[in-house]
Amino acid sequence: EAEAEPMASIDLEYLHTVRGNMPVQQHRRPDLYGKLEIQGGQSVALPGEEFVFNFGPARVPGPTIFYRTSQTLAFVNKKPVVEGHLLVSPVREVEKMGDLTEEEVADLFKVVQKVEVFVQKFYGVSSSTISVQNGHLAGQSIPHVHVHILPRREDDFAQNDDVYRELQEHDKVETGWRTEEEMVVEAKMLREAWGK
């Protein structure tokens, strides 16, 4: 009598995500085994309502995230300086740029580039400010690496570099914070427009 071989279905997208999050590559000895790179930058499924991203002491609800790779998230800002002010952050919680692996830095800035190009097209602008506040003295208020992307418009600040002063102070003021519902509405528009 022939025995039936066991069969199991495999979710390849999930498998790719799990393998991409494994720390194996960070501990591999390139002097013995050579350098092996995982190809990152590929979009993965967006999180649902149950997902919460721990962004330092802040919590970022899943529906406010509009783009994601296995190592990086792009989401709307709770306290935007200008319309369309977005944030891009590594998934792994690290306080400063120097704490990221080479692979995380590469993925982070690949996503920054994609989001910045998208932002200019979405908001119909031709310029943007990309900023990283790396450490408390640089104005970093959330101890988790993140990149600010701000679409720029004619005369949005009296002096062009006033944007940096505003970034330094914007989240120290108690007014102007958006509700989660407002953030979700913006993220939904961005999610819908992303693939077009």
Side-chain angles (χ1 to χ4, degrees):
E1 216 174 283
E3 290 185 30
E5 291 188 31
M7 301 290 284
S9 62
I10 298 174
D11 182 344
L12 294 177
E13 186 173 318
Y14 176 73
L15 181 63
H16 177 74
T17 301
V18 169
R19 285 185 176 164
N21 288 327
M22 293 176 135
V24 169
Q25 298 307 320
Q26 298 168 21
H27 304 291
R28 184 180 177 91
R29 289 190 53 190
D31 58 321
L32 294 177
Y33 304 108
K35 180 122 171 98
L36 180 68
E37 294 185 24
I38 296 175
Q39 298 299 315
Q42 298 297 321
S43 173
V44 297
L46 289 170
E49 290 188 26
E50 70 289 342
F51 180 84
V52 175
F53 172 53
N54 292 316
F55 181 51
R59 296 169 51 82
V60 177
T64 65
I65 297 167
F66 65 90
Y67 184 78
R68 178 182 179 191
T69 68
S70 62
Q71 299 182 68
T72 306
L73 301 170
F75 51 98
V76 300
N77 198 332
K78 187 159 182 75
K79 185 77 182 281
V81 170
V82 296
E83 180 186 6
H85 177 182
L86 305 171
L87 300 174
V88 179
S89 180
V91 171
R92 187 168 69 90
E93 188 172 347
V94 291
E95 186 171 340
K96 297 181 81 178
M97 288 290 295
D99 299 328
L100 294 170
T101 65
E102 289 179 14
E103 292 80 13
E104 288 170 321
V105 171
D107 193 70
L108 176 68
F109 282 97
K110 283 180 187 177
V111 173
V112 166
Q113 182 184 39
K114 286 180 182 183
V115 170
E116 192 272 341
V117 168
F118 168 76
V119 161
Q120 284 197 23
K121 183 177 175 185
F122 185 82
Y123 287 101
V125 299
S126 62
S127 301
S128 54
T129 294
I130 299 171
S131 178
V132 178
Q133 295 163 302
N134 196 40
H136 177 73
L137 294 178
Q140 183 181 19
S141 57
I142 299 286
H144 188 140
V145 172
H146 57 286
V147 180
H148 296 264
I149 301 176
L150 300 93
R152 300 296 302 275
R153 297 160 182 87
E154 191 76 34
D155 299 322
D156 53 3
F157 292 94
Q159 297 292 318
N160 191 44
D161 282 351
D162 287 349
V163 66
Y164 300 109
R165 184 174 298 112
E166 188 62 29
L167 272 173
Q168 174 84 17
E169 301 298 325
H170 80 287
D171 54 0
K172 316 288 187 291
V173 181
E174 293 198 24
T175 60
W177 294 89
R178 299 194 301 171
T179 65
E180 184 177 322
E181 292 75 25
E182 291 170 315
M183 295 169 65
V184 168
V185 167
E186 181 184 10
K188 184 177 180 191
M189 288 188 314
L190 297 173
R191 284 180 175 203
E192 290 171 357
W194 185 270
K196 294 180 181 176

